[in-house]
Amino acid sequence: MHLGDALEVLSRLPAESVDCVWTDPPYLLSNGGVTCVAGRMVSVDKGDWDRSRGIDADHAFNLAWTAACRRVLKPAGTIWVTGTLHVYPSVGMALVRNGFRLLNDIVWEKPNPPPNLGRRTFTHSTEIVLWAAKSGRDSRHRYTFNYDDMRRENGGKQMKTVWRMKAPSAPEKRFGKHPTQKPLALIDRCLRASTKDGGVVLDPFAGSGSTGVAALALGRRFVGIEIDPEFADLCVRRLSGKPSPSSTDRATDDR
């Protein structure tokens, strides 16, 4: 685990040293609004790291970190990026601008999303997970897709791009919580589909360390970067399996 700014740490990592990136970047949702968690109305403000700086600055940030990830990816590497409508259009354009080839847009459907308190739109119940390859269509470098494994998991049929999965379970939060924590099942499937045993997985916005937990459980190696010291400590606790007496119950909206 690296404690620090993602762009700064990425600049120090060796070029073409990572097989796969799986990350959950800031969604830029901290705008003073509210959401519902466990039947209670709570603020959506998560911290300065999740606050929008405006369209141009936000897109410049997405261009910068996706370019940095491309530099450290091996020629046959791929990247997975989660997002809601607040961020994935910018991230998708940033990936294309930086030379990535979009492969899929996975729709993660949540069976029990938080209710829409404002009642002015449909209830937000999905997130998008973009999957893209560093190599071009005509490249000699072939990205990994464990098609047969995914087909067997889907009862012998081709797996579709809509995945219905619950939010993180209580055991996944026993070391502490992160306000945007993703379920291990989601990350696990992505990594099983796109990596091989012993491969290196990178998460430049590690949060609670879920990417690392999933990667290590699958026999992959993990490189994580987190700017918040408290969450970096949570990552270390989860990855080492050693809870801390000071573990806190941070509120989470299970986005």
Side-chain angles (χ1 to χ4, degrees), residues 40 173-178 230 246-252:
R40 296 181 295 109
K173 304 174 186 176
R174 67 190 182 97
F175 295 114
K177 299 178 181 179
H178 188 280
E230 185 172 347
S246 62
S247 295
T248 59
D249 288 332
R250 283 194 173 193
T252 175

Side-chain angles (χ1 to χ4, degrees), residues 166-201:
K166 295 181 179 180
S169 62
E172 293 177 36
K173 304 174 186 176
R174 67 190 182 97
F175 295 114
K177 299 178 181 179
H178 188 280
T180 65
Q181 192 165 333
K182 295 300 178 288
L184 289 175
L186 176 66
I187 306 170
D188 172 84
R189 179 177 290 178
C190 295
L191 297 185
R192 284 189 293 105
S194 62
T195 63
K196 300 176 181 177
D197 187 49
V200 178
V201 177

Side-chain angles (χ1 to χ4, degrees), residues 58-232:
D58 292 347
H59 189 58
F61 172 68
N62 289 327
L63 281 166
W65 73 258
T66 52
C69 285
R70 193 175 197 280
R71 186 188 71 83
V72 300
L73 271 173
K74 295 178 182 179
T78 59
I79 182 171
W80 299 84
V81 188
T82 64
T84 59
L85 56 85
H86 309 84
V87 70
Y88 76 74
S90 171
V91 170
M93 286 301 297
L95 289 170
V96 172
R97 177 66 68 181
N98 283 320
F100 283 98
R101 175 163 53 112
L102 293 177
L103 301 172
N104 275 128
D105 53 344
I106 303 298
V107 178
W108 168 33
E109 180 190 0
K110 308 171 189 179
N112 296 303
N116 189 325
L117 299 178
R119 301 181 181 181
R120 295 188 295 272
T121 62
F122 296 105
T123 299
H124 298 285
S125 61
T126 62
E127 293 190 33
I128 299 297
V129 189
L130 298 174
W131 184 35
K134 180 176 181 177
S135 61
R137 190 176 299 276
D138 298 326
S139 172
R140 63 184 177 85
H141 300 288
R142 298 180 62 85
Y143 64 87
T144 296
F145 179 42
N146 298 315
Y147 170 83
D148 291 336
D149 292 343
M150 295 296 101
R151 181 166 179 161
R152 279 193 295 271
E153 182 176 321
N154 198 44
K157 299 179 180 179
Q158 290 187 342
M159 185 173 289
K160 298 179 181 180
T161 56
V162 178
W163 300 351
R164 186 176 175 86
M165 295 179 176
K166 295 181 179 180
S169 62
E172 293 177 36
K173 304 174 186 176
R174 67 190 182 97
F175 295 114
K177 299 178 181 179
H178 188 280
T180 65
Q181 192 165 333
K182 295 300 178 288
L184 289 175
L186 176 66
I187 306 170
D188 172 84
R189 179 177 290 178
C190 295
L191 297 185
R192 284 189 293 105
S194 62
T195 63
K196 300 176 181 177
D197 187 49
V200 178
V201 177
L202 165 71
D203 188 345
F205 306 102
S208 63
S210 296
T211 304
V213 173
L216 295 179
L218 291 171
R220 280 56 166 169
R221 292 173 288 168
F222 176 64
V223 179
I225 305 170
E226 174 54 44
I227 195 170
D228 186 303
E230 185 172 347
F231 290 136

Side-chain angles (χ1 to χ4, degrees), residues 7-88:
L7 290 175
E8 193 279 325
V9 176
L10 282 168
S11 71
R12 293 190 275 111
L13 296 182
E16 300 186 355
S17 60
V18 171
D19 295 285
C20 180
V21 174
W22 200 102
T23 195
D24 181 27
Y27 287 12
L28 310 175
L29 285 172
S30 295
N31 57 6
V34 295
T35 187
C36 183
V37 176
R40 296 181 295 109
M41 185 182 297
V42 300
S43 170
V44 299
D45 290 344
K46 300 167 181 65
D48 188 63
W49 54 269
D50 191 52
R51 193 164 290 113
S52 172
R53 268 66 176 176
I55 294 176
D56 291 339
D58 292 347
H59 189 58
F61 172 68
N62 289 327
L63 281 166
W65 73 258
T66 52
C69 285
R70 193 175 197 280
R71 186 188 71 83
V72 300
L73 271 173
K74 295 178 182 179
T78 59
I79 182 171
W80 299 84
V81 188
T82 64
T84 59
L85 56 85
H86 309 84
V87 70
Y88 76 74

